[in-house]
């Protein structure tokens, strides 16, 4: 690619606004053309993204380990997971939530569960550990 862009989304996975913003941005990225035409010149682009928890509650959410592995889900399945999520799911175990979403392969579910039990990257972000204030609960950089 001629240009690379990285979007970092800081989201409250426990709020409808955070889940909705994640779904909307993923949809936009899915429909984004892999090339840009400026004047008569066409450039190939690549867009990557990270979905990060913006609050401690979001870091503890069942969605956080899923978002940590978003690229393994693919856009269609990730949108399905997001649409399936509800506030009531926060009382469920990660395994129970993943099993409730049809189409999540068993090996992917196992990988996420293993990763979540060995290293919880959701709770290791510097801004969460140091109680830094973010500008909002849901925003994109």
């Amino acid at each position: 690619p001629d240009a690379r862009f990285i979007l970092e989304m800081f989201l409250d996975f426990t709020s409808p606004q955070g889940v909705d913003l994640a779904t909307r941005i993923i949809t936009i990225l899915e429909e984004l053309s892999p090339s840009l035409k400026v004047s008569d010149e066409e450039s190939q682009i690549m867009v990557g993204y990270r979905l990060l928890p913006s609050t401690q509650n979001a870091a503890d959410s069942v969605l956080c380990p899923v978002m940590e592995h978003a690229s393994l889900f693919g856009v269609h399945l990730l949108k399905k997971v997001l649409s399936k999520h509800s506030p009531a799911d926060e009382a469920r175990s990660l395994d129970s939530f993943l099993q409730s979403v049809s189409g999540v392969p068993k090996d992917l579910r196992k990988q996420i569960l293993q990763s979540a039990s060995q290293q919880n990257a959701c709770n290791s972000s510097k801004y969460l550990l140091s109680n830094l204030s973010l500008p909002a609960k849901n925003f994109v950089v």
Side-chain angles (χ1 to χ4, degrees):
D2 300 308
R4 294 184 172 138
F5 301 93
I6 298 175
L7 297 175
E8 290 194 324
M9 296 173 252
F10 293 85
L11 303 169
D12 180 358
F13 303 131
T14 62
S15 74
Q17 298 86 359
V19 173
D20 183 58
L21 183 59
T23 303
R24 288 173 186 244
I25 291 174
I26 290 167
T27 301
I28 290 168
L29 292 175
E30 175 185 35
E31 296 173 4
L32 191 65
S33 172
S35 62
L36 293 174
K37 190 170 185 175
V38 178
S39 299
D40 289 334
E41 195 171 314
E42 191 168 299
S43 298
Q44 298 301 310
I45 64 168
M46 183 174 92
V47 179
Y49 60 91
R50 291 191 331 158
L51 302 157
L52 303 164
S54 63
T55 66
Q56 189 58 55
N57 285 344
D60 294 335
S61 167
V62 294
L63 280 181
C64 194
V66 173
M67 297 301 114
E68 188 179 21
H69 295 84
S71 64
L72 300 177
F73 279 81
V75 174
H76 177 71
L77 186 54
L78 187 57
K79 285 170 46 177
K80 191 175 189 179
V81 168
L82 289 168
S83 70
K84 176 74 175 163
H85 180 265
S86 74
D89 289 318
E90 294 307 320
R92 300 170 79 173
S93 70
L94 176 58
D95 189 33
S96 172
F97 173 68
L98 290 173
Q99 286 185 39
S100 74
V101 181
S102 64
V104 176
K106 187 177 180 178
D107 58 331
L108 177 56
R109 191 177 84 235
K110 184 178 177 180
Q111 181 179 351
I112 291 169
L113 292 170
Q114 184 176 13
S115 176
S117 69
Q118 290 178 350
Q119 59 168 39
N120 191 348
C122 292
N123 284 301
S124 63
S125 300
K126 287 181 183 179
Y127 58 91
L128 290 175
L129 294 173
S130 63
N131 293 323
L132 290 175
S133 294
L134 295 175
K137 286 188 178 180
N138 298 297
F139 66 100
V140 179
V141 179

